[in-house]
Amino acid sequence: MDAIYIPQLMKAPERTEEIQVKEFLPGLETLTPVRGRIQVQHCGNYLQVSGQAETIITCNCNRCLQNYNHRLVVDISEIIWLDEAVDQEQAFVSEREIAVEDLVETLSPYGYFDPGEWLYEQMCLAIPQRQLCDQNCPGIQPLSDSSNFEQGLDRRWSCLEALRKQLP
Ligand SMILES: [Zn+2]
């Protein structure tokens, strides 16, 4: 996905660019390509960005620890402010860890908007924190109930017994 040069967007029809997405996003492990679209509109001192996309990811159930497939869907509309002051701040920002709350972005009006990176962030934020294969997942089940366990034990004892008989 190519980055959009923001001044160029001013000249686009209705100052809007629409990007069709059908690809794997670098850094995001998905079973299927991310499909959807992103719309970016230049509104003077801000960009109106909206995106609808979906893909399938593999989750790990917090209760039973089984993997399961999860349909990840984003449908987001967001404002990204354009501020010339960003250029000066940028050097400073790159020197420190970027906290999640800082992701509400401000870009330079003479810079680029990277739709791939934006979508990657939105998809990451949409990954469920609490992963359950099913709302009613009973969790890890004992392999057998106690009577089976005893039978199993008996069977193992009988093996030992058989082995013992073979010994001189
Ligand atoms: Zn489960």
Side-chain angles (χ1 to χ4, degrees):
M1 245 178 283
D2 290 333
I4 295 171
Y5 184 49
I6 295 168
Q8 194 68 40
L9 192 57
M10 291 283 270
K11 297 173 192 148
E14 293 177 51
R15 296 177 169 189
T16 303
E17 204 162 308
E18 188 172 309
I19 303 137
Q20 299 294 327
V21 184
K22 192 183 172 187
E23 62 192 66
F24 289 97
L25 299 181
L28 187 70
E29 241 181 76
T30 56
L31 294 176
T32 57
V34 176
R35 287 165 205 268
R37 64 196 185 107
I38 302 171
Q39 262 187 325
V40 190
Q41 185 176 25
H42 201 309
C43 303
N45 60 342
Y46 67 91
L47 299 180
Q48 178 72 52
V49 184
S50 60
Q52 298 83 38
E54 64 173 77
T55 186
I56 308 280
I57 59 168
T58 301
C59 288
N60 187 258
C61 179
N62 295 152
R63 279 194 205 149
C64 68
L65 307 179
Q66 299 288 326
N67 285 340
Y68 65 97
N69 293 341
H70 175 74
R71 190 161 157 263
L72 193 61
V73 181
V74 297
D75 184 355
I76 291 163
S77 186
E78 174 177 83
I79 283 172
I80 297 178
W81 294 99
L82 298 175
D83 186 350
E84 291 179 40
V86 170
D87 276 340
Q88 286 104 59
E89 281 172 31
Q90 210 85 72
F92 172 69
V93 170
S94 59
E95 307 244 326
R96 63 188 172 95
E97 291 269 316
I98 297 171
V100 176
E101 55 267 30
D102 289 339
L103 291 178
V104 181
E105 278 169 274
T106 305
L107 293 172
S108 161
Y110 311 112
Y112 288 85
F113 171 73
D114 187 336
E117 197 180 292
W118 180 81
L119 187 58
Y120 168 80
E121 283 169 7
Q122 305 309 323
M123 296 297 262
C124 285
L125 290 173
I127 293 172
Q129 293 293 312
R130 185 177 155 80
Q131 304 188 347
L132 286 182
C133 64
D134 187 288
Q135 281 306 314
N136 299 317
C137 173
I140 296 173
Q141 293 296 293
L143 284 174
S144 50
D145 60 32
S146 59
S147 62
N148 283 341
F149 178 69
E150 273 165 29
Q151 273 173 21
L153 208 64
D154 286 345
R155 205 149 20 90
R156 268 176 291 167
W157 277 118
S158 62
C159 286
L160 275 180
E161 189 62 26
L163 197 65
R164 196 171 64 91
K165 282 174 186 159
Q166 287 170 21
L167 293 172

